[in-house]
Amino acid sequence: SIRSSRSPAISEIVEKVVIAVGRLSLALDSRKLVVLWSLGISKVKAKVFSPRAQHSQSFERYRHLFIVERMRLTMSAVGNNRRKLTVRRFAFAVAAYCLTMASVGAFTSTSAHRGGLVGSAFAGGEGGSGFCERRNVPRSFSNRRETHSSWRRPTTTTASSRRSSSLSMKVAIDPPPYPVRVAVLGGGNFGLALASVLGNKGIPVTLLVRGDEVASELNANHRHPRYMPDIPLPTSIRATSDPATALSDATYVVHAVPCQYSREFLMGIREHVPPGVPVVSGSKGIETTSLGFMADILRDCLGDNRSYAFLSGPSFAHEICQGVATAVVIASEDALLADDLADLFSTENFRVFTSKDVMGVEIGGAVKNVIALAAGMCEGLGLGTNAMSGLVTRGCAEMRRLGLVLGARPSTLAGLSGVGDTFGTCFGPLSRNRKFGYRLGKGENVDEILASTTEVAEGVETSKALVKMIREKCKGEYRLDLKYPILFGVADILEGRITPLGGLKGLMNMPLRAESFETRY
């Protein structure tokens, strides 16, 4: 009757029958339909969903929601295109429809705390947009839906919104197709800043801190008692000192623990990190023991069976929390992950670019801290703008030279994570490394400075590791001290072999040669 009838009401009849069967299957808790569902849908769901969606605890529900709408369209084809729809395909459609009806009903009551994420599975026509309706579809996902009340925005397009400018920070942000919960590891300045960016968008964020007292203070007053206590944090940020609580339902993990402490920290929480969950690193530097970048540390501790991304650029935590316009770059070998993270983090005041050059981003984030130490010493010695500008420029040349040795792209080092971050760290008044170098230039020693501050200047340990790495990677090359005089000189000052003034004299008395080694011959 279904195949031969031309009645326009056939779709409504089928839908009513399927809804009744779905309710029955829910009541009986039937699982036999899973076989038919998997046969008919396995190819579809494999092509539609990003691998990042599969680690979400509610991924099955969102897959079902998608299939519900697909099957609903298939039911409509019974009335509109009956002769091309085979009985077998229709049987698969009915089976999947019944299964997903039961699944959606089972999930609805348990997901209310997500902010009403389920919605109407059959939204369409009047009063609904339809789950498969394409509107502002981003490049990472083929289907998206409003999943949180804070994400919702008007869909009308005005003439002003259609205008674009390369100087504009405003970007069109689409919500991900599954519920996002972010765990931020580390309650320092940068961890708080990244948590604030996400929290201001209404994304649930769990901050993993070291002590129960700090967690209680953050949850009660929404301020950190030690780091940036003058900055109020969004109420969607919750803090805990229990790794299991912070990581159990995380869809993304943001690592913001200083580089030299990362390995010990990660080994202590690795069993709580859900399998396959992507990790975003906001830490920069080179580990002194292994001479590895953050990419090496993360893979050693958390394994290779997940995707990693690395955020870098001129981004002072205090300015980020204040909503000052900021531009950064996220690098990942997984281009889809980089795009998803750019969508996740980007706001009108926080612009995220993407890159696949992980090595270039890592080198820029590590070397710029060492150059900032030298810039601070230059200021502490009372030298002028000429000296500091020349020092920073020559330091960037050494960064580029090292990047070529390690396989980084020169364009990356000339971008936000390289020259951009170096300028901010060397000339910005909020730079910890610059302050550390300034105090060295004023005559204080390393031990005195370390004992008087709670903030971590990554460049101190990175400088020592960097010199070891250069000697190891460039073994056999002639006169490394002429190719990397600033990097080697900062390490000598920190080790106490020379003074800042002696290092300056050494730079000024170097042999007169071409500005760039690469263009001399």
Side-chain angles (χ1 to χ4, degrees), residues 14-25 97-98 101 122:
V14 172
E15 186 166 323
K16 289 180 181 178
V17 172
V18 170
I19 290 175
V21 177
R23 291 175 180 173
L24 179 62
S25 65
Y97 202 98
C98 295
M101 279 293 297
F122 304 99

Side-chain angles (χ1 to χ4, degrees), residues 101-382:
M101 279 293 297
S103 301
V104 170
F107 274 104
T108 301
S109 61
T110 61
S111 60
H113 69 283
R114 301 284 188 180
L117 296 178
V118 176
S120 173
F122 304 99
E126 293 186 12
S129 61
F131 190 74
C132 291
E133 182 179 355
R134 295 173 181 262
R135 183 186 296 119
N136 296 330
V137 179
R139 54 186 176 274
S140 302
F141 294 99
S142 58
N143 294 280
R144 297 212 175 193
R145 190 181 187 185
E146 300 294 344
T147 59
H148 197 281
S149 58
S150 63
W151 290 93
R152 291 172 184 156
R153 61 192 183 282
T155 57
T156 57
T157 303
T158 62
S160 60
S161 65
R162 286 192 295 266
R163 300 191 193 102
S164 61
S165 170
S166 59
L167 299 178
S168 175
M169 296 290 288
K170 189 170 184 179
V171 291
I173 307 302
D174 286 293
Y178 52 92
V180 172
R181 299 185 70 85
V182 180
V184 177
L185 310 181
N189 286 337
F190 203 61
L192 293 173
L194 294 179
S196 180
V197 170
L198 298 172
N200 285 328
K201 298 177 67 173
I203 298 174
V205 178
T206 304
L207 196 63
L208 181 60
V209 296
R210 286 185 289 183
D212 293 334
E213 298 81 6
V214 175
S216 300
E217 179 73 16
L218 282 166
N219 293 331
N221 301 321
H222 305 290
R223 296 175 187 269
H224 198 287
R226 294 176 58 189
Y227 300 109
M228 298 188 294
D230 58 320
I231 299 293
L233 299 174
T235 56
S236 59
I237 298 176
R238 306 298 297 173
T240 180
S241 59
D242 180 24
T245 302
L247 294 164
S248 60
D249 62 347
T251 52
Y252 294 99
V253 174
V254 177
H255 179 80
V257 177
C259 177
Q260 306 305 327
Y261 307 98
S262 290
R263 185 177 296 273
E264 180 181 359
F265 175 84
L266 290 170
M267 294 302 291
I269 62 141
R270 60 186 299 181
E271 62 183 16
H272 301 292
V273 182
V277 173
V279 177
V280 188
S281 174
S283 304
K284 308 168 186 177
I286 302 173
E287 191 177 33
T288 54
T289 55
S290 66
L291 303 182
F293 291 99
M294 283 305 305
D296 304 308
I297 298 173
L298 289 171
R299 288 192 172 91
D300 288 346
C301 297
L302 302 180
D304 293 324
N305 296 324
R306 69 178 76 244
S307 296
Y308 296 96
F310 304 88
L311 187 150
S312 188
S315 49
F316 290 119
H318 203 278
E319 292 187 0
I320 293 175
C321 291
Q322 290 179 324
V324 178
T326 302
V328 298
V329 61
I330 287 182
S332 177
E333 296 175 356
D334 187 338
L336 287 178
L337 174 61
D339 290 341
D340 294 347
L341 292 172
D343 289 343
L344 184 68
F345 280 94
S346 290
T347 67
E348 291 185 7
N349 298 318
F350 194 78
R351 179 65 180 266
V352 182
F353 296 89
T354 62
S355 172
K356 294 190 70 175
D357 186 11
V358 172
M359 179 57 70
V361 168
E362 290 259 66
I363 292 173
V367 176
K368 61 95 180 181
N369 287 328
V370 182
I371 301 174
L373 289 173
M377 295 179 208
C378 186
E379 185 178 3
L381 289 171

